[in-house]
Amino acid sequence: MKKLIEQIIKFGIVGVLCFGIDFAIYTVLCTVFNVHYLIAGFFGFLISVTVNYLLSMKYIFIRRDNVEKKKEFTIFLILSVIGLLLNLLIIWVCVDGLYVHITFINTLVSENFAKLSGKIVATAVVMVYNFVTRKIFLEKKESDVIEYGES
């Protein structure tokens, strides 16, 4: 249990760092360069997921011995693409689904606030998805570890 808690803390630290990268890129592209929020979300997520892969597989998850790095990255990428789609869907629901179509909301907050808060909600949901799926599909299982000294 202690090992799992340490792993969750490390995942949280890497997640905060990668969220910072993702959110900064997203915010700059949306607010400074007026890039469409879904395109900005794509680029922010793409860069942060690359950093996340490198840090996650080095500091958080124990690699499986029987999986080549190419296959490992492919699995990570597939899981991340699903996470990206989930991320973009949640942002789209928050902006086009709620902000644009519900008059009460768009009179209370600005479009930029809707975009940024949608990004925060999406990131929180996708962070849980990422931890669970990476733990299931990428990490060496306890049953894979041979305990030395036992008969």
Side-chain angles (χ1 to χ4, degrees):
M1 184 61 140
K2 181 181 174 192
K3 185 177 177 183
L4 178 62
I5 291 171
E6 288 175 8
Q7 191 177 37
I8 290 171
I9 290 169
K10 288 178 184 178
F11 185 81
I13 292 167
V14 167
V16 167
L17 173 67
C18 290
F19 170 75
I21 292 167
D22 185 2
F23 195 73
I25 292 167
Y26 176 82
T27 302
V28 168
L29 290 176
C30 279
T31 60
V32 175
F33 296 104
N34 288 328
V35 173
H36 189 274
Y37 70 91
L38 291 178
I39 294 169
F42 172 78
F43 282 107
F45 195 87
L46 184 66
I47 293 166
S48 71
V49 81
T50 302
V51 172
N52 196 306
Y53 169 75
L54 296 170
L55 295 175
S56 290
M57 298 316 293
K58 182 169 178 112
Y59 297 111
I60 300 169
F61 298 107
I62 300 167
R63 286 191 146 92
R64 291 182 176 184
D65 297 330
N66 61 345
V67 178
E68 297 174 14
K69 285 189 180 187
K70 184 178 178 181
K71 183 177 179 183
E72 176 185 82
F73 183 74
T74 301
I75 293 168
F76 191 93
L77 192 58
I78 290 168
L79 296 174
S80 296
V81 166
I82 293 168
L84 170 62
L85 295 175
L86 183 58
N87 187 293
L88 295 175
L89 175 65
I90 293 168
I91 296 170
W92 179 82
V93 167
C94 289
V95 176
D96 284 334
L98 299 175
Y99 175 77
V100 171
H101 291 99
I102 300 177
T103 307
F104 174 73
I105 293 174
N106 65 39
T107 58
L108 288 178
V109 300
S110 70
E111 185 177 0
N112 277 340
F113 182 84
K115 290 176 185 175
L116 299 179
S117 58
K119 180 66 174 169
I120 291 170
V121 170
T123 299
V125 171
V126 172
M127 188 172 90
V128 173
Y129 160 83
N130 282 337
F131 182 80
V132 171
T133 57
R134 291 172 189 168
K135 186 110 176 110
I136 292 169
F137 294 106
L138 291 172
E139 186 171 54
K140 181 184 277 190
K141 308 281 186 270
E142 290 289 327
S143 60
D144 294 342
V145 178
I146 298 172
E147 304 263 347
Y148 294 102
E150 291 185 17
S151 303

